[in-house]
Amino acid sequence: MTFPYRPLALAFITVVFSGVFIQRVQAGNGNFYAPVADTLVREECGSCHLTFAPSMLPAAAWKRMMSDLTNHFGSDASVDPVSAERISRYLNDNAADTGGRRYSGKLMRGVSMQNPPLRITELPKWVQEHRKISAAEWKRKDVGSKSNCLACHTEAERGFYED
Ligand code: HEC
Ligand code: HEC
């Protein structure tokens, strides 16, 4: 391939290399949690809050959560049995310990796979990562709750949790 102008060739090279670089960053750090791809899960589990990435909790947590959706953190999140079955399968197949998501390792540090907390925000690693955030910040109107990831992680829908 020959380029008529040197600047054009340089621009081309820059584009190619930044593409490689971005891919490396996405694959290499521990801040990517694949977003939910299943439409039904997005609809049923994304109407009240961000559709949490299944790789952020072990399968046992999702199983316990799905076994009682009428008492879901004080809300009724129940769905019909057929949907529940499908959602359960998706969550199970993509959970931190069963989905083969090497990214989740960091977040699972110190978590019992048999008896995990039901909240991502109660995982020891999550607590540690957010320890510098003051009580006043959590209470800010646009945050309101620790579960409101999107208030601070604007790329959370796409699975990215950089600060
Ligand atoms: C009717 C509304 C509603 C629906 C539908 C719903 N949730 Fe929730 N969910 C909540 C509320 C309320 C909380 C607690 C939020 C808080 O503490 O601020 C919550 C919290 C959670 C948390 C814990 C977040 C944390 O703090 O770490 C997870 C995980 C979760 N939901 C998963 C799901 C899944 C999976 C589904 C689909 C089966 C679902 N939710 C559907 C209302 C809902
Ligand atoms: C009030 C703002 C705020 C909210 C709400 C919040 N986070 Fe964070 N989060 C941060 C900040 C700030 C950091 C960076 C901490 C640091 O690097 O010192 C962080 C770090 C992280 C990291 C680690 C990223 C890394 O660099 O390794 C993950 C994963 C994460 N948050 C996930 C979540 C999830 C999931 C939720 C919702 C359940 C959430 N956060 C809610 C502010 C927030």
Side-chain angles (χ1 to χ4, degrees), residues 5-47:
Y5 300 113
R6 195 179 253 270
L8 210 57
L10 277 179
F12 177 75
I13 289 166
T14 309
V15 166
V16 169
F17 271 89
S18 58
V20 170
F21 179 70
I22 286 166
Q23 267 180 347
R24 278 256 181 83
V25 169
Q26 287 176 355
N29 68 18
N31 306 329
F32 177 72
Y33 297 87
V36 169
D38 187 287
T39 318
L40 179 75
V41 180
R42 292 195 74 89
E43 274 168 16
E44 299 292 357
C45 305
S47 53

Side-chain angles (χ1 to χ4, degrees), residues 44-45 47-49 52 57 62 65-66 69 72-73 75-77 87 91 118-121 145 147:
E44 299 292 357
C45 305
S47 53
C48 299
H49 47 62
F52 298 112
L57 285 173
W62 295 122
M65 196 181 300
M66 290 304 293
L69 282 181
H72 178 77
F73 305 99
S75 279
D76 182 354
I87 294 167
L91 294 173
L118 285 189
R119 284 183 182 268
I120 299 159
T121 52
S145 164
S147 311

Side-chain angles (χ1 to χ4, degrees), residues 80-99:
D80 66 88
V82 177
S83 301
E85 171 78 33
R86 204 173 118 190
I87 294 167
S88 293
R89 202 176 327 127
Y90 184 87
L91 294 173
N92 180 69
D93 290 352
N94 294 282
D97 50 337
T98 54

Side-chain angles (χ1 to χ4, degrees), residues 29-33 50 52-53 56 106-107 120-121 125-126 128-134 137-138 140 142-153 156 160-163:
N29 68 18
N31 306 329
F32 177 72
Y33 297 87
L50 168 78
F52 298 112
M56 287 193 156
K106 202 164 91 172
L107 205 48
I120 299 159
T121 52
K125 185 69 190 171
W126 191 96
Q128 191 202 324
E129 290 281 359
H130 297 83
R131 70 191 179 283
K132 287 184 197 143
I133 298 171
S134 67
E137 270 180 274
W138 290 123
R140 248 169 45 198
D142 57 329
V143 179
S145 164
K146 291 183 179 176
S147 311
N148 188 10
C149 323
L150 268 173
C152 307
H153 300 285
F160 295 107
Y161 292 86
E162 318 263 332
D163 41 304

